[in-house]
């Protein structure tokens, strides 16, 4: 199935939950926050939250930052909800 | 407790708050944090880099038992984005504090105060401790305070500009009327700028670029630590007034060669 992950299309081979997706991506669940179709998923719900075709998922973490630490060119892609530049 | 720096009931030993962005290396960042004596650092909330999984996690380099993490909503241009980012920042799990930024202009990075006020109200209602980055305008600072902000953070000058405190009189007025801590955030370029902010009565100073992009960030971090301390001491020491003309320091009588 195809979903949108951090703004880009992403293909999953079979059924998945937030937990299995994070494991597949080798992401430590304690270092991130996850949005599933614009709703924040609590960490204790990762295993119970199933992912469906067309779902939009955002996985964010903390990065170095002050006011304008992200270069203009990449800015549009790294903020949650950003779309590909035309 | 003598001269405590307290925000939302939490006491901080240092009046200097620093960022984590723009450092040449993560090791330099870590050493600069150490040298600064800060006990709160700001971090940005961004999408995980899925294509480059080798990238180290910022949290691996910040000892959260020593540094309090303050997530920010950097590069958010709408209240909705800022609120969404703040919620995600809280969800990472380290605190319900947020340095709230809603940017109104790409070139100056000046805040969109209307959207900032809206976002502050929403987040305060949701139980966040909100520290808004705002203009050096006493009116907006009062409104943010009334909206429940735990501190107000007027800028000294544009983010990363290094121009120092552009409107010292406004900062002084803001501090005079505020009932929450006033933290000068943005525009500091060198140590004296931080000292000026503290001499005006600011409770703290927040900076990132001044340290991260200095030729020697670790030395600058140390300078800033001393600058903030010096400024606070001077503020409490009660400075002399400014005068147009000289006021002699030595006695006028007994000068050799003087006529009667």
């Amino acid at each position: 199935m195809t979903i949108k992950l951090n703004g880009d299309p992403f293909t999953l081979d079979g059924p998945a939950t937030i937990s299995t997706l994070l494991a597949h991506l080798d992401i430590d669940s304690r270092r991130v926050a996850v949005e599933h179709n614009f709703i924040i998923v609590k960490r204790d719900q990762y295993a119970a939250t199933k992912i469906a075709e067309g779902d939009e998922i955002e996985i964010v973490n903390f990065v170095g930052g002050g006011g304008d630490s992200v270069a203009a060119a990449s800015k549009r892609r790294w903020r949650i909800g950003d779309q590909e530049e035309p | 407790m003598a001269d405590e720096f307290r925000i939302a009931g939490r006491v901080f030993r240092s009046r200097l708050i620093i960022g984590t962005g723009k450092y040449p290396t993560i090791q330099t960042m870590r050493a600069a944090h150490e040298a600064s004596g800060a006990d709160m650092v700001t971090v940005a909330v961004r999408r995980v880099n899925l294509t480059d999984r080798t990238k180290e996690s910022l949290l691996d380099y910040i000892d959260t038992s020593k540094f309090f993490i303050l997530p920010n909503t950097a590069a958010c241009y709408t209240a909705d984005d800022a609120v969404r980012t703040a919620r995600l920042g809280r969800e990472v799990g380290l605190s319900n504090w947020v340095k709230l930024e809603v940017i109104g202009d790409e070139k100056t990075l000046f805040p969109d105060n209307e959207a900032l006020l809206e976002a502050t109200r929403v987040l305060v209602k949701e139980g966040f401790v909100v520290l808004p980055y705002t203009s050096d305008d006493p009116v907006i600072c009062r409104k943010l305070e009334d909206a429940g902000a735990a501190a107000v953070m007027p800028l000294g000058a544009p983010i990363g500009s290094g121009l120092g405190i552009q409107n010292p009189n406004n900062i002084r007025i803001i501090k005079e009327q505020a009932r929450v801590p006033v933290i000068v955030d943005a525009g500091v370029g060198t140590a004296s700028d931080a000292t000026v902010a503290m001499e005006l009565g600011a409770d703290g100073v927040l900076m990132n670029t001044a340290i991260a992009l200095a030729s020697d960030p670790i030395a600058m971090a140390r300078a800033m630590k001393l600058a903030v301390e010096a400024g606070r001491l001077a503020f409490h020491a009660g400075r002399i007034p400014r005068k147009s003309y000289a006021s002699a320091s030595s006695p006028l009588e007994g000068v050799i060669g003087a006529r009667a």
Side-chain angles (χ1 to χ4, degrees):
Chain A
M1 69 173 115
T2 307
I3 61 169
K4 202 171 183 187
L5 177 60
N6 283 3
D8 289 324
F10 187 82
T11 311
L12 288 163
D13 290 331
T17 62
I18 301 289
S19 276
T20 61
L21 176 62
L22 291 176
H24 173 70
L25 295 167
D26 193 25
I27 291 173
D28 182 346
S29 67
R30 293 161 306 165
R31 293 284 172 84
V32 299
V34 176
E35 242 193 23
H36 178 224
N37 295 331
F38 303 97
I39 296 170
I40 291 180
V41 185
K42 294 255 164 236
R43 200 159 287 134
D44 59 14
Q45 291 301 302
Y46 285 177
T49 306
K50 293 198 182 78
I51 299 172
E53 176 77 32
D55 277 355
E56 288 194 42
I57 295 179
E58 296 276 356
I59 305 174
V60 302
N61 63 353
F62 288 156
V63 301
D68 63 346
S69 57
V70 185
S74 59
K75 179 175 78 178
R76 305 278 325 133
R77 304 294 337 309
W78 294 116
R79 297 184 310 127
I80 50 161
D82 275 347
Q83 304 307 309
E84 187 81 54
E85 289 247 277
Chain B
M1 247 295 145
D3 204 28
E4 228 173 39
F5 180 36
R6 187 188 281 263
I7 306 172
R10 189 185 176 110
V11 175
F12 295 92
R13 281 169 295 109
S14 168
R15 292 174 178 275
L16 176 60
I17 304 164
I18 57 178
T20 47
K22 298 179 178 172
Y23 282 94
T25 67
I26 207 156
Q27 289 78 10
T28 306
M29 179 199 81
R30 196 173 165 147
H33 284 176
E34 213 37 67
S36 74
D39 42 7
M40 174 158 45
V41 298
T42 65
V43 299
V45 177
R46 290 286 182 272
R47 286 167 165 167
V48 170
N49 187 335
L50 299 170
T51 54
D52 184 1
R53 298 297 302 120
T54 59
K55 269 204 135 351
E56 303 138 324
S57 168
L58 180 69
L59 289 178
D60 291 335
Y61 289 87
I62 301 177
D63 181 350
T64 54
S65 67
K66 283 168 71 178
F67 294 98
F68 183 74
I69 304 279
L70 179 65
N72 70 30
T73 64
C76 288
Y77 284 74
T78 65
D80 277 350
D81 277 354
V83 167
R84 196 175 162 198
T85 303
R87 288 173 181 151
L88 283 162
R90 175 166 69 175
E91 201 55 35
V92 175
L94 293 168
S95 83
N96 63 340
W97 287 47
V98 62
K99 175 187 156 169
L100 187 62
E101 302 178 38
V102 185
I103 304 301
D105 177 73
E106 222 174 283
K107 209 162 149 182
T108 59
L109 298 182
F110 281 152
D112 174 344
N113 287 310
E114 196 180 346
L116 178 70
L117 197 50
E118 189 191 321
T120 297
R121 291 187 178 121
V122 171
L123 293 171
V124 164
K125 223 173 180 180
E126 291 180 13
F128 282 84
V129 172
V130 181
L131 277 58
Y133 150 76
T134 188
S135 309
D136 52 356
D137 162 24
V139 175
I140 188 63
C141 285
R142 181 184 289 141
K143 287 188 174 186
L144 287 162
E145 191 182 304
D146 289 345
V152 290
M153 308 216 292
L155 55 83
I159 292 168
S161 69
L163 289 170
I165 312 305
Q166 294 284 273
N167 197 333
N169 193 46
N170 278 24
I171 301 295
R172 201 188 47 75
I173 293 169
I174 290 166
K175 176 58 196 175
E176 202 171 76
Q177 68 175 30
R179 285 153 296 154
V180 294
V182 175
I183 297 164
V184 170
D185 173 20
V188 166
T190 188
S192 48
D193 298 330
T195 306
V196 166
M198 296 306 291
E199 285 171 353
L200 291 165
D203 296 283
V205 180
L206 199 161
M207 67 180 73
N208 184 355
T209 310
I211 295 176
L213 293 186
S215 303
D216 184 344
I218 296 157
M220 188 57 88
R222 181 168 155 70
M224 292 299 183
K225 173 183 191 292
L226 296 167
V228 168
E229 287 170 12
R232 187 66 177 175
L233 283 166
F235 174 68
H236 279 312
R239 61 156 299 148
I240 56 168
R242 288 180 171 85
K243 287 180 179 171
S244 292
Y245 301 101
S247 176
S249 299
S250 313
L252 300 173
E253 316 86 31
V255 177
I256 54 161
R259 293 173 199 275

